Amino acid sequence: MSAETELQPTFYNYKLLKKVMLPKSLISSLVVLPFIWLAAEMFFISWTSLFYFLLAAPVTVWIQYVMSRSILILTSRSYRKRWYFSRSLPWIGYMPDQHVAYSTYRRVYLNSAWIGCLVILILIPWSPIAFVLSLMFWHAWLIFPRFIVFAVLRGQRKDGMIKITNLDISYYMQ
């Protein structure tokens, strides 16, 4: 190899196949939904549901983080630089930071969804009903935006790359 090619950076060429902007109404509804759920829980179950609701949020985020990271450790070798913990709506939780294979994204979130449901089901006999319902709500609330990606990319090839930002979902082929 010549010294000239060794000094030049490597560029990956991706062809954009689909780009979907997230509607602001989706983010607004995601902000309002926890308040509606909390009011319903407090009205139908008990005022102590407030404490269970507040406790269930970080527990659910932690469960999903552990599941997602464990799946990445088992299936991918170079995930550390590509994934980070997001605190912005609608992508709260462990998310890809740059282009990531769509198959990896699907594997991580489909497995996180059903394993998270199993963990919640296991907790039913030992937990108050308000806590279990709050766990179910937060699990669905956190997973829902990730499943929007599946709905948006339905019909696309599974061997592409995705890039998710706060405002849009982009699907690329190499």
Side-chain angles (χ1 to χ4, degrees), residues 53-162:
F53 189 76
L54 295 175
L55 177 64
V59 169
T60 307
V61 169
W62 180 78
I63 289 170
Q64 287 187 3
Y65 172 77
V66 169
M67 291 298 110
S68 299
R69 192 161 161 99
S70 299
I71 293 163
L72 281 170
I73 288 171
L74 293 172
T75 61
S76 180
R77 294 174 192 222
S78 61
Y79 71 90
R80 290 179 194 242
K81 294 179 184 174
R82 296 182 185 207
W83 293 76
Y84 75 109
F85 191 85
S86 172
R87 290 178 181 90
S88 61
L89 279 174
W91 311 113
I92 295 173
Y94 209 46
M95 289 297 297
D97 189 25
Q98 49 185 286
H99 294 90
V100 67
Y102 181 54
S103 60
T104 302
Y105 181 88
R106 283 178 53 91
R107 185 177 305 121
V108 167
Y109 289 116
L110 287 174
N111 286 324
S112 291
W114 73 266
I115 292 171
C117 287
L118 288 176
V119 169
I120 293 169
L121 289 173
I122 289 169
L123 293 175
I124 287 176
W126 300 284
S127 300
I129 189 69
F131 184 62
V132 171
L133 289 175
S134 295
L135 284 173
M136 286 183 195
F137 169 78
W138 284 117
H139 183 65
W141 189 81
L142 290 168
I143 285 289
F144 175 73
R146 283 118 173 112
F147 278 62
I148 289 174
V149 175
F150 299 149
V152 163
L153 298 179
R154 187 181 59 224
Q156 297 290 332
R157 293 176 50 182
K158 305 294 185 233
D159 58 345
M161 303 287 280
I162 60 170

Side-chain angles (χ1 to χ4, degrees), residues 23-65:
K24 292 186 189 267
S25 60
L26 171 71
I27 296 170
S28 301
S29 63
L30 283 174
V31 169
V32 172
L33 201 56
F35 295 107
I36 295 171
W37 185 270
L38 177 60
E41 255 191 47
M42 288 176 67
F43 181 76
F44 289 111
I45 298 174
S46 168
W47 66 272
T48 58
S49 298
L50 172 67
F51 303 113
Y52 293 122
F53 189 76
L54 295 175
L55 177 64
V59 169
T60 307
V61 169
W62 180 78
I63 289 170
Q64 287 187 3
Y65 172 77

